[in-house]
């Protein structure tokens, strides 16, 4: 088990191999397909996106509303293939880590290697347990998307498995 601090350093990314188990601590962003579509449109138009992308991590999640006294509701991963049309452009602009579930397209796998990034898997069906690793939630942009709005989350010991490493190794 590797304990990693977010944002990931280039050295941390290089040390990861497909199948490694990791515990993440630090800040990450959330985003699903509706938000990714808007981010890609900004990049395509040459406009800045509403948060810094360089070196960051995006967790593919649309968390359920929090109950009173909780930071966040159940926060399980979304199927990653839904972000595949937008991912290479985000990687080209500095994104370094994505967290989701399921396979990625060959184009995304190639872009991960090309851009020295990493794709992490987290377990679907454990949304309530995943939420236990989330300690802070801040809205960032696209609040009109409801649960698909981009938020910033502070996580501690967030469990994931390396699905695709920057060397081209893959378990998915």
């Amino acid at each position: 088990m590797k304990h990693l601090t977010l944002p990931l350093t280039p050295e941390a990314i290089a040390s990861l191999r497909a199948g490694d188990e990791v515990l993440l601590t630090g800040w990450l962003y959330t985003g699903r397909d509706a938000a990714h579509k808007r981010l890609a449109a900004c990049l395509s138009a040459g406009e800045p996106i509403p948060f810094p992308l360089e070196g960051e991590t995006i967790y593919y999640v649309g968390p359920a509303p929090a109950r009173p006294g909780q930071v966040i509701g159940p926060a399980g991963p979304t199927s990653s293939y839904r972000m595949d049309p937008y991912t290479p452009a985000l990687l080209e602009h500095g994104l370094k880590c994505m967290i989701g579930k399921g396979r990625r397209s060959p184009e995304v796998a190639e872009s991960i290697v090309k851009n020295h990034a990493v794709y992490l898997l987290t377990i679907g069906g454990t949304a309530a347990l995943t939420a236990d690793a989330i300690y802070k939630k801040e809205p960032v942009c696209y609040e009109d998307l409801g649960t698909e709005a981009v938020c910033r989350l502070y996580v501690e010991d967030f469990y994931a498995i390396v699905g695709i490493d920057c060397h081209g190794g893959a378990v998915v």
Side-chain angles (χ1 to χ4, degrees), residues 2-151:
K2 294 184 178 188
H3 293 263
L4 301 172
T5 301
L6 297 172
L8 297 175
T9 64
E11 296 79 20
I13 292 170
S15 76
L16 297 173
R17 297 294 184 269
D20 285 352
E21 295 178 272
V22 299
L23 291 173
L24 305 171
T25 297
W27 290 96
L28 56 80
Y29 290 93
T30 67
R32 287 179 40 163
D33 40 324
H36 275 70
K37 183 176 181 179
R38 289 186 185 180
L39 295 171
C42 285
L43 294 174
S44 180
E47 300 170 1
I49 62 168
F51 62 93
L53 195 58
E54 185 69 36
E56 292 296 342
T57 297
I58 294 180
Y59 177 29
Y60 301 148
V61 63
R67 292 184 181 161
Q70 293 182 324
V71 172
I72 199 167
T78 298
S79 297
S80 299
Y81 75 88
R82 293 168 44 186
M83 274 53 71
D84 283 0
Y86 317 110
T87 299
L90 296 176
L91 289 167
E92 290 288 332
H93 284 84
L95 180 65
K96 289 298 177 186
C97 180
M98 299 141 296
I99 306 169
K101 68 178 182 181
R103 297 185 182 275
R104 304 309 299 265
S105 70
E107 295 79 18
V108 169
E110 290 170 17
S111 189
I112 288 169
V113 173
K114 176 183 172 190
N115 293 288
H116 194 77
V118 65
Y119 170 55
L120 303 178
L121 301 164
T122 194
I123 301 166
T126 60
L129 293 174
T130 302
D132 288 343
I134 300 169
Y135 289 85
K136 295 179 186 173
K137 177 184 173 192
E138 301 172 352
V140 174
C141 61
Y142 309 143
E143 292 179 6
D144 61 302
L145 295 177
T147 61
E148 290 201 41
V150 174
C151 293

